[in-house]
Amino acid sequence: MIFQDYVFYSLAAILLFAGLRVITARNPVHAALFLVLAFFTTAGIWLMLEAEFLAIVLVLVYVGAVMVLFLFVVMMLDINLEKLKEGFWEAIIPALIVGGFMCAEMIMVLGAKHFGLDRVSAPVPHPAGYSNTAELGRQLYTDYLLPFELAAVVLLVAMIAAIALTLRRRKDSKYINPVDQINIKRADRVRMVSMQSFKEPTQAPDNKEQG
Amino acid sequence: MEFFEPIMTWLQHQSWWAAFILTSWTIIKIIAIVLPLMGALAYLTLAERKVIGYMQVRIGPNRVGYFGLLQPIADGVKLLFKEIIQPTASNKFLFFLGPVLAMAPALAAWAVVPFDLNLILANIDAGLLYILAMTSIGVYGVIIAGWASNSKYAFLGSLRSAAQIVSYEIAMGFALVGVLMSAGSLNLGKIVLAQSGGFWQWYWLPLFPLFIVYFISAVAETNRAPFDVAEGESEIVGFHVEYSGMAFAMFFLAEYANMILVCTLAALMFLGGWLSPLPFLPDGFPWLLLKVAFMLFFMLWFRATFPRYRYDQIMRLGWKVFIPITLVWIVVVGGLMQTPLAYLFH
């Protein structure tokens, strides 16, 4: 075994462990954090495949952005674990059947028949000056330009739709336009009155006799 | 010497020995980066107190050591010996993972920072992306710390800080997109070399709006004043309210490590890195040091000058002002690159 093998097997072991814990962790926040670990470890494995651009983008997008928002939601949910586990044993038979079918389908597609060692040749190591980033960019913006742009537009539409669906303007919100706030002048708030600083004492009431 | 020669050649042919040499050499280089960095961030705390002190017509720390020079060490020792209190109902593992996750990415990002033409730990091609990825992990320290504390104040504080960090990351990333468009590379060394030719060739000039957006976003990203809602005394719901002693110090150090990191990035991206401002002066590492110190001074100056932003205005500034500015300027840069003015963005 060479050094890379050790790295691969330790990463793979961590990845499997993290993946298992995602579905077995009792606490959803822990599950989400294990998912983060799984993404991060996957990025490590991709780095070993010399796909450094994809690996870094996986960390940047999924770990750095998607999972953060995911955690936001999961953390703020008030989840009753007992209630969640209710009916587990009633549902296990259909779950096993569905899960079994999914497994069988995936084995049929991804099994050794199509992705075995004899089918997929070992990747050729690239020369030192090879830039995965530049190659990927060239592919995306020449051969796959149209699908790439289409995917981008679809994502944009989905994003706008999600924002439009959730946008509710509250009627009772005390919104202040920041532009108005910045453009406020002294004259709008304070009225300067020109008045004498000294006032003539006009026949002060003589208190001495009373008090 | 002749006696050792065959042994050395034999050893070099053993792959495990080569791996061992490579690993230990890399570890030595990492130590050579991290140790001075630790020293720098210890003394950045002193510099901050001194600078703000003089700006407020005080003298700052001056009791421990001459000119207060031993103050950071005294602070460190004090924090080391303080008791670390762990809230009873907190999640112990995550509670202590929080500070580690805040600190580790701030150090890991230094792997690709070029200090000089050949003085770099890992000269990888996607260096800029790597740094963005690493700094984006730093937010987990904030989130985990706030959640694991099992305190609503820490949790609210962590939500606020995390939302702020995530928002300003976008503006920061877009500002750097302009840089990589101009340089035509994600490699930090190549970005610096693309700016060679003296002060007027640096990217701060053609990309001036992006430079300003980047630097203000960097201040917000590191939770520094005037965006320091995490430690706002008037509304104190910081994510680290439950932390004490060294665990708190880790967050503190992570903040300063991030400050140095974003200032170094600003120096590399917009101020020509290790290049000298005048073409006839030799380039070198001291220039980078000088530029980083210059940017750091601005950060300290901000803290002494500006009142704290209101939280909703922080979010508005990030989303509604900075992101549109960067988007527009990226289009402007892309358009100008197709015109005879392209020499501005070389």
Side-chain angles (χ1 to χ4, degrees):
Chain A
M1 285 225 293
I2 53 170
F3 182 62
Q4 277 88 337
D5 290 347
Y6 289 108
V7 178
F8 172 76
Y9 281 116
S10 31
L11 284 179
I14 297 172
L15 178 57
L16 280 180
F17 169 73
L20 265 179
R21 291 295 287 145
V22 172
I23 51 172
T24 54
R26 297 176 66 88
N27 193 322
V29 174
H30 291 186
L33 287 173
F34 275 114
L35 192 56
V36 172
L37 179 63
F39 279 137
F40 199 75
T41 321
T42 313
I45 290 178
W46 287 5
L47 270 184
M48 296 189 68
L49 288 169
E50 302 186 4
E52 81 266 6
F53 180 80
L54 288 179
I56 295 173
V57 166
L58 180 71
V59 173
L60 185 64
V61 175
Y62 277 86
V63 177
V66 174
M67 285 314 291
V68 172
L69 302 179
F70 211 87
L71 269 176
F72 263 46
V73 176
V74 171
M75 279 175 175
M76 284 195 277
L77 291 177
D78 184 24
I79 296 173
N80 189 345
L81 288 174
E82 289 308 312
K83 209 160 197 176
L84 218 62
K85 292 219 160 44
E86 233 173 39
F88 176 78
W89 292 108
E90 284 96 69
I92 192 149
I93 305 286
L96 275 180
I97 294 170
V98 172
F101 266 113
M102 282 165 70
C103 272
E105 282 172 1
M106 278 166 80
I107 289 169
M108 272 156 66
V109 176
L110 299 171
K113 210 164 74 184
H114 304 291
F115 285 93
L117 282 178
D118 51 337
R119 291 294 170 129
V120 183
S121 55
V124 187
H126 295 292
Y130 177 80
S131 168
N132 178 271
T133 315
E135 287 301 316
L136 203 69
R138 197 164 293 134
Q139 285 281 312
L140 276 183
Y141 285 99
T142 53
D143 295 353
Y144 296 96
L145 179 65
L146 205 60
F148 181 65
E149 296 292 335
L150 263 178
V153 170
V154 168
L155 277 176
L156 184 68
V157 169
M159 191 172 88
I160 292 171
I163 293 172
L165 282 175
T166 52
L167 190 69
R168 297 265 189 282
R169 204 171 281 284
R170 278 180 60 178
K171 289 198 179 70
D172 57 340
S173 102
K174 291 174 178 159
Y175 179 75
I176 304 164
N177 189 355
V179 180
D180 297 344
Q181 272 184 312
I182 293 165
N183 287 333
I184 213 78
K185 295 281 179 294
R186 188 192 64 187
D188 302 337
R189 295 284 160 87
V190 186
R191 189 166 51 88
M192 298 297 275
V193 185
S194 166
M195 60 187 290
Q196 243 180 341
S197 60
F198 177 73
K199 208 173 178 184
E200 287 285 330
T202 51
Q203 278 189 345
D206 205 358
N207 290 337
K208 273 177 193 165
E209 284 173 13
Q210 287 158 9
Chain B
M1 260 313 177
E2 282 109 40
F3 176 72
F4 286 112
E5 203 99 313
I7 299 174
M8 286 305 283
T9 43
W10 179 77
L11 281 175
Q12 272 160 11
H13 283 287
Q14 305 294 331
S15 68
W16 61 270
W17 179 252
F20 175 74
I21 293 217
L22 185 68
T23 313
S24 36
W25 180 230
T26 311
I27 290 174
I28 290 171
K29 283 198 268 190
I30 291 172
I31 292 171
I33 292 175
V34 169
L35 277 188
L37 183 67
M38 287 294 178
L41 54 97
Y43 275 89
L44 181 58
T45 62
L46 177 68
E48 171 165 42
R49 294 169 69 178
K50 278 285 182 189
V51 166
I52 295 177
Y54 280 111
M55 281 179 180
Q56 296 169 347
V57 207
R58 299 181 282 117
I59 42 177
N62 67 336
R63 286 283 166 246
V64 192
Y66 177 71
F67 199 64
L69 277 179
L70 295 178
Q71 184 71 45
I73 295 161
D75 287 344
V77 171
K78 183 195 82 172
L79 284 167
L80 264 179
F81 285 109
K82 269 191 160 182
E83 186 187 358
I84 297 179
I85 299 164
Q86 189 221 342
T88 328
S90 67
N91 185 312
K92 187 169 184 187
F93 178 71
L94 289 181
F95 187 75
F96 290 114
L97 188 69
V100 177
L101 272 184
M103 190 70 195
L107 295 180
W110 285 89
V112 297
V113 170
F115 299 100
D116 205 338
L117 192 55
N118 295 314
L119 211 60
I120 178 169
L121 179 61
N123 191 4
I124 66 171
D125 220 36
L128 185 56
L129 268 182
Y130 171 82
I131 285 193
L132 284 177
M134 281 299 135
T135 48
S136 72
I137 298 177
V139 68
Y140 279 100
V142 173
I143 295 180
I144 289 177
W147 186 77
S149 299
N150 199 17
S151 142
K152 46 175 136 349
Y153 301 107
F155 184 55
L156 285 174
S158 90
L159 286 185
R160 276 161 44 122
S161 294
Q164 177 186 341
I165 294 173
V166 170
S167 310
Y168 276 87
E169 218 168 66
I170 302 171
M172 208 167 143
F174 271 129
L176 296 182
V177 166
V179 173
L180 69 93
M181 276 170 75
S182 303
S185 174
L186 283 168
N187 184 313
L188 291 170
K190 281 184 190 155
I191 290 174
V192 170
L193 286 180
Q195 304 176 54
S196 52
F199 186 66
W200 300 107
Q201 305 294 325
W202 298 348
Y203 283 150
W204 69 270
L205 189 62
L207 304 176
F208 191 72
L210 297 184
F211 176 46
I212 297 297
V213 168
Y214 170 80
F215 194 56
I216 299 176
S217 303
V219 175
E221 176 88 0
T222 48
N223 276 332
R224 291 284 304 175
F227 306 103
D228 57 342
V229 288
E231 54 176 284
E233 294 89 350
S234 51
E235 52 198 70
I236 188 144
V237 280
F239 59 91
H240 42 40
V241 281
E242 302 291 341
Y243 284 85
S244 64
M246 213 51 209
F248 172 74
M250 287 294 276
F251 284 115
F252 195 66
L253 289 178
E255 179 181 322
Y256 282 82
N258 274 323
M259 272 170 76
I260 300 181
L261 181 69
V262 293
C263 286
T264 311
L265 278 184
L268 289 170
M269 304 286 162
F270 297 100
L271 299 176
W274 66 81
L275 302 172
S276 73
L278 301 167
F280 53 84
L281 289 174
D283 303 330
F285 177 56
W287 288 114
L288 181 65
L289 220 55
L290 212 64
K291 289 163 187 171
V292 174
F294 178 74
M295 299 309 288
L296 281 172
F297 179 75
F298 265 94
M299 278 204 162
L300 307 183
W301 193 0
F302 288 165
R303 182 165 172 196
T305 310
F306 296 124
R308 186 172 298 121
Y309 252 72
R310 214 172 64 197
Y311 187 70
D312 62 315
Q313 290 176 343
I314 293 181
M315 294 310 253
R316 180 182 167 271
L317 183 73
W319 286 99
K320 293 193 178 170
V321 180
F322 282 172
I323 293 178
I325 289 180
T326 49
L327 282 175
V328 166
W329 201 254
I330 285 171
V331 175
V332 168
V333 169
L336 283 180
M337 282 170 97
Q338 310 302 323
T339 66
L341 284 172
Y343 70 90
L344 285 174
F345 313 96
H346 38 86

